[in-house]
Each structure stands twice: as C-alpha cells, then as structure tokens.
Amino acid sequence: MPLTFRSGLLAGIAASVAARGARAQEALEVVGRPVNGETGFQFGATELARDLQNLDFMLLVIISAITLFVTVLLAIVVVRFNRRSNPDPASFTHNTPLEVSWTVIPILILVFIGAYSLPVLFKQMEIPQGDIAIKVTGYQWYWGYEYVDEGFEFPSFLVDGSTKVESLGDDQPMGQPQILDDIAVMKLEALGYTRDDFLLATDTAVVVPVNKTVVMQVTGADVIHSWTIPAFGVKQDAVPGRIAQLWFKPEREGIYFGQCSELCGKSHAYMPITVKVVSEAAYARWLESAKAGDAQLSSLAAPSGDVKVAAAN
C-alpha cells in the first residue's frame, strides 16, 4: 500500500472513531492502572485491597521502628565499646533479663502481626456466595472467560495493530502484533482506550456490576499463569488440571487493568487483563446483548455502545 494512501486511510479512520473513543473514556474512568513515575499502591477498589494496603502500612511502621532501633544500638556499640573508649571490656557472658527480653519481645511482635494478618488472609481465602460466577482459563498467551450461570464465553487478547475491531469495518488496516504503532493506537481509541493503555487493554473485557460479589474460578490450559487485578487486591495462579477460586466486590465503577503474573513463556508480557465495573442497569443491558451475540463484549467502555462482535454460545 503506498505510504500516502496508507496515511490517509489511517487518518480518516482515526477521525471517525475519535469521538466514540472520547465518549467511551468519559463513560468509564480508567481507575486501576500503573502510572509512570508514581510509587505506592493503586486505588483500592475493594475491601480486600484496602485491608492489604493497611496491613502493608502497619508492617512498614513496625519494620521501620525495628530497623531504627537496631541502627541506634549499633551506633552505641561503635561509640561506647570500641578499643579506645573501653580498653578493659567486661568479662560476663550472660544477662538473663536481656536474653528474656530479646526472646519475648519478637514473639509479641509476631503475635501482634498475626492478629492482624490472619483475618486478612482468611477473608481472602474463604470464598463467599457469589452473585456472579466467572471461569477464567489461562492460555499461551491470552485469557478465556466463561460466565458460568449465563452460558456464554469469549477469549480476551491484547489490543495491538493485529486486532480485528469490527466497528472499523472489513477494510481496516492490520498492523504488527505486540508493537505500538499508529494502527495500534487507532484500534485502542476505537475501543475506548488511549495509547497509554497499550500492553494493558484487551479486545474483550470481564464486565461486572458494581457492589456485587464476583467469584472467579481460575485454571490453566497449558502452563501456569496468574490472574491478578492489583486494585482489587486479588491474585491467583492458574494451574492446569486444578480449579482455584478468588473473589472480589468492586465498589467503584471504572476500568481496571492487570497482567499475567506468572512467567508463562515468550509472550508472557503480552497477556493483560481488563475488568470493567459498571452499574447494574448497564450490566443488564450488556448481558442481554452479549447472550444474544449482537454486542461487542470487548468495548463496554460506553455501556450503551452500538458496536458489533459476537462471542456467545
């Protein structure tokens, strides 16, 4: 294709989808994603995530106090008990109160930590009765999702230049996989994302209603993968031949990203996860359309979108 024609085609298609992409981003805010130059945790969109973040802060305070205390003790030893300051060292070998203290105090610290950490662990591991059950299967190198109670399933791939976006028509340009170029940016925008979401956005997304308990049944089809959404405070290995579970109850509408967190082969870095939390009304509309096969499961950035693709049984 001549360069001028290709550039003109890209410009025309990009212009036609720009407004739709802008509306999509307005409809659902991107809440859970990493930000360049920032440190710390993502926004905690679930009680599980906030519990983990609070526990982490508490442990940071404890370990900082212990480190400071040990540093001060070392400084005292260096200053007071060097050869010049203490030429005649004491000859005793035991100090019972001190030995009891350095045994009992660490035990009490560990008991204190356990009293807070174990309830957090049990809350994650005790799976409640879910409002929605979704089976997620890890493949090399994409995810498959099945809405167990609704009877449909779909795969989820990284959005790049090779992604087929039905709303762009049959004559859309196809680019190289796993590369951020103008074609990839165009397709990201067509699905309601931005170039900053490359390596995070997927062509299909897990869609769940806000303030509902979601139970994920996690397994692998080939090698071990790991499904995680940092803003939800959840992570679970997807092991072939075994079904594990995790749960979350999102409290804020928005788009949340994760990535496979277990090294699974050459394209491990290109296996993102997208979850879209919407209102109950929007979820009901999406679910009805998805089960009928006439709504693009991928781009519910705008819940009332009119794009097409099917992934229903």
Side-chain angles (χ1 to χ4, degrees), residues 5 16 45 55 57 59 150 165 178 182 196 202 233 241 255:
F5 177 76
S16 68
L55 178 62
F57 180 76
L59 294 177
E150 306 298 340
V165 181
Q178 303 174 358
D182 291 341
D196 293 335
T202 56
I255 302 175

mmCIF file of all heavy atoms in Angstrom, residues 5 16 45 55 57 59 150 165 178 182 196 202 233 241 255:
data_model
loop_
_atom_site.group_PDB
_atom_site.id
_atom_site.type_symbol
_atom_site.label_atom_id
_atom_site.label_comp_id
_atom_site.label_asym_id
_atom_site.label_seq_id
_atom_site.Cartn_x
_atom_site.Cartn_y
_atom_site.Cartn_z
ATOM 1 N N PHE A 5 -1.361 6.858 0.705
ATOM 2 C CA PHE A 5 -2.710 6.298 0.811
ATOM 3 C C PHE A 5 -2.910 5.682 2.187
ATOM 4 O O PHE A 5 -3.960 5.843 2.809
ATOM 5 C CB PHE A 5 -2.921 5.242 -0.277
ATOM 6 C CG PHE A 5 -4.262 4.564 -0.181
ATOM 7 C CD1 PHE A 5 -5.419 5.202 -0.586
ATOM 8 C CD2 PHE A 5 -4.352 3.286 0.363
ATOM 9 C CE1 PHE A 5 -6.653 4.577 -0.477
ATOM 10 C CE2 PHE A 5 -5.581 2.660 0.475
ATOM 11 C CZ PHE A 5 -6.734 3.300 0.048
ATOM 12 N N SER A 16 -12.816 9.134 12.446
ATOM 13 C CA SER A 16 -14.183 8.618 12.575
ATOM 14 C C SER A 16 -14.433 7.965 13.923
ATOM 15 O O SER A 16 -15.572 7.866 14.360
ATOM 16 C CB SER A 16 -14.461 7.604 11.462
ATOM 17 O OG SER A 16 -13.687 6.433 11.652
ATOM 18 N N ALA A 45 -10.077 -0.562 45.233
ATOM 19 C CA ALA A 45 -11.482 -0.544 44.830
ATOM 20 C C ALA A 45 -12.311 -1.601 45.540
ATOM 21 O O ALA A 45 -13.512 -1.716 45.285
ATOM 22 C CB ALA A 45 -11.598 -0.747 43.322
ATOM 23 N N LEU A 55 -2.521 -3.326 56.004
ATOM 24 C CA LEU A 55 -1.579 -4.264 56.608
ATOM 25 C C LEU A 55 -0.151 -3.940 56.184
ATOM 26 O O LEU A 55 0.778 -3.972 57.002
ATOM 27 C CB LEU A 55 -1.946 -5.692 56.212
ATOM 28 C CG LEU A 55 -1.012 -6.800 56.721
ATOM 29 C CD1 LEU A 55 -0.994 -6.842 58.237
ATOM 30 C CD2 LEU A 55 -1.434 -8.162 56.147
ATOM 31 N N PHE A 57 1.045 -1.033 55.350
ATOM 32 C CA PHE A 57 1.490 0.175 56.048
ATOM 33 C C PHE A 57 1.861 -0.135 57.495
ATOM 34 O O PHE A 57 2.873 0.375 58.006
ATOM 35 C CB PHE A 57 0.400 1.245 55.996
ATOM 36 C CG PHE A 57 0.779 2.520 56.697
ATOM 37 C CD1 PHE A 57 1.659 3.404 56.105
ATOM 38 C CD2 PHE A 57 0.268 2.815 57.958
ATOM 39 C CE1 PHE A 57 2.027 4.583 56.765
ATOM 40 C CE2 PHE A 57 0.625 3.978 58.613
ATOM 41 C CZ PHE A 57 1.506 4.872 58.018
ATOM 42 N N LEU A 59 2.945 -2.980 58.697
ATOM 43 C CA LEU A 59 4.218 -3.702 58.689
ATOM 44 C C LEU A 59 5.383 -2.759 58.387
ATOM 45 O O LEU A 59 6.482 -2.931 58.938
ATOM 46 C CB LEU A 59 4.170 -4.828 57.661
ATOM 47 C CG LEU A 59 3.194 -5.970 57.955
ATOM 48 C CD1 LEU A 59 3.199 -6.980 56.819
ATOM 49 C CD2 LEU A 59 3.557 -6.659 59.270
ATOM 50 N N GLU A 150 -24.605 -17.929 32.893
ATOM 51 C CA GLU A 150 -25.264 -17.288 31.758
ATOM 52 C C GLU A 150 -25.074 -18.046 30.453
ATOM 53 O O GLU A 150 -25.727 -17.765 29.456
ATOM 54 C CB GLU A 150 -24.763 -15.847 31.596
ATOM 55 C CG GLU A 150 -24.897 -14.998 32.850
ATOM 56 C CD GLU A 150 -26.340 -14.824 33.292
ATOM 57 O OE1 GLU A 150 -27.242 -15.031 32.464
ATOM 58 O OE2 GLU A 150 -26.575 -14.460 34.465
ATOM 59 N N VAL A 165 -11.078 -5.105 14.882
ATOM 60 C CA VAL A 165 -12.108 -4.293 15.531
ATOM 61 C C VAL A 165 -13.272 -4.173 14.569
ATOM 62 O O VAL A 165 -13.167 -3.512 13.524
ATOM 63 C CB VAL A 165 -11.571 -2.911 15.921
ATOM 64 C CG1 VAL A 165 -12.662 -2.089 16.610
ATOM 65 C CG2 VAL A 165 -10.363 -3.047 16.844
ATOM 66 N N GLN A 178 1.910 -6.944 18.914
ATOM 67 C CA GLN A 178 2.771 -6.629 20.054
ATOM 68 C C GLN A 178 3.655 -5.406 19.818
ATOM 69 O O GLN A 178 4.686 -5.257 20.470
ATOM 70 C CB GLN A 178 3.625 -7.841 20.438
ATOM 71 C CG GLN A 178 2.810 -9.075 20.751
ATOM 72 C CD GLN A 178 3.654 -10.313 20.981
ATOM 73 O OE1 GLN A 178 4.874 -10.274 20.867
ATOM 74 N NE2 GLN A 178 3.009 -11.428 21.323
ATOM 75 N N ASP A 182 0.905 3.464 14.849
ATOM 76 C CA ASP A 182 -0.302 4.257 14.598
ATOM 77 C C ASP A 182 -1.542 3.383 14.477
ATOM 78 O O ASP A 182 -2.638 3.779 14.902
ATOM 79 C CB ASP A 182 -0.120 5.089 13.329
ATOM 80 C CG ASP A 182 0.913 6.197 13.507
ATOM 81 O OD1 ASP A 182 1.193 6.542 14.665
ATOM 82 O OD2 ASP A 182 1.423 6.703 12.489
ATOM 83 N N ASP A 196 -1.680 5.152 26.176
ATOM 84 C CA ASP A 196 -1.112 4.813 27.485
ATOM 85 C C ASP A 196 -1.598 3.462 27.986
ATOM 86 O O ASP A 196 -1.013 2.904 28.923
ATOM 87 C CB ASP A 196 -1.465 5.887 28.511
ATOM 88 C CG ASP A 196 -0.783 7.216 28.215
ATOM 89 O OD1 ASP A 196 0.280 7.201 27.554
ATOM 90 O OD2 ASP A 196 -1.313 8.258 28.631
ATOM 91 N N THR A 202 -7.366 -4.948 26.586
ATOM 92 C CA THR A 202 -7.678 -6.172 25.837
ATOM 93 C C THR A 202 -8.880 -5.927 24.932
ATOM 94 O O THR A 202 -9.691 -5.034 25.175
ATOM 95 C CB THR A 202 -7.991 -7.340 26.796
ATOM 96 O OG1 THR A 202 -9.063 -6.962 27.677
ATOM 97 C CG2 THR A 202 -6.769 -7.703 27.613
ATOM 98 N N GLY A 233 -6.921 -6.187 44.863
ATOM 99 C CA GLY A 233 -6.200 -6.926 45.895
ATOM 100 C C GLY A 233 -6.312 -8.430 45.740
ATOM 101 O O GLY A 233 -6.317 -9.158 46.726
ATOM 102 N N GLY A 241 -5.271 -28.426 35.210
ATOM 103 C CA GLY A 241 -5.803 -29.570 35.936
ATOM 104 C C GLY A 241 -6.340 -29.264 37.314
ATOM 105 O O GLY A 241 -6.753 -30.176 38.042
ATOM 106 N N ILE A 255 -12.617 1.196 34.804
ATOM 107 C CA ILE A 255 -11.831 0.188 34.106
ATOM 108 C C ILE A 255 -10.602 -0.123 34.940
ATOM 109 O O ILE A 255 -9.895 0.780 35.400
ATOM 110 C CB ILE A 255 -11.406 0.686 32.705
ATOM 111 C CG1 ILE A 255 -12.652 1.039 31.875
ATOM 112 C CG2 ILE A 255 -10.569 -0.362 31.984
ATOM 113 C CD1 ILE A 255 -12.328 1.657 30.530
#
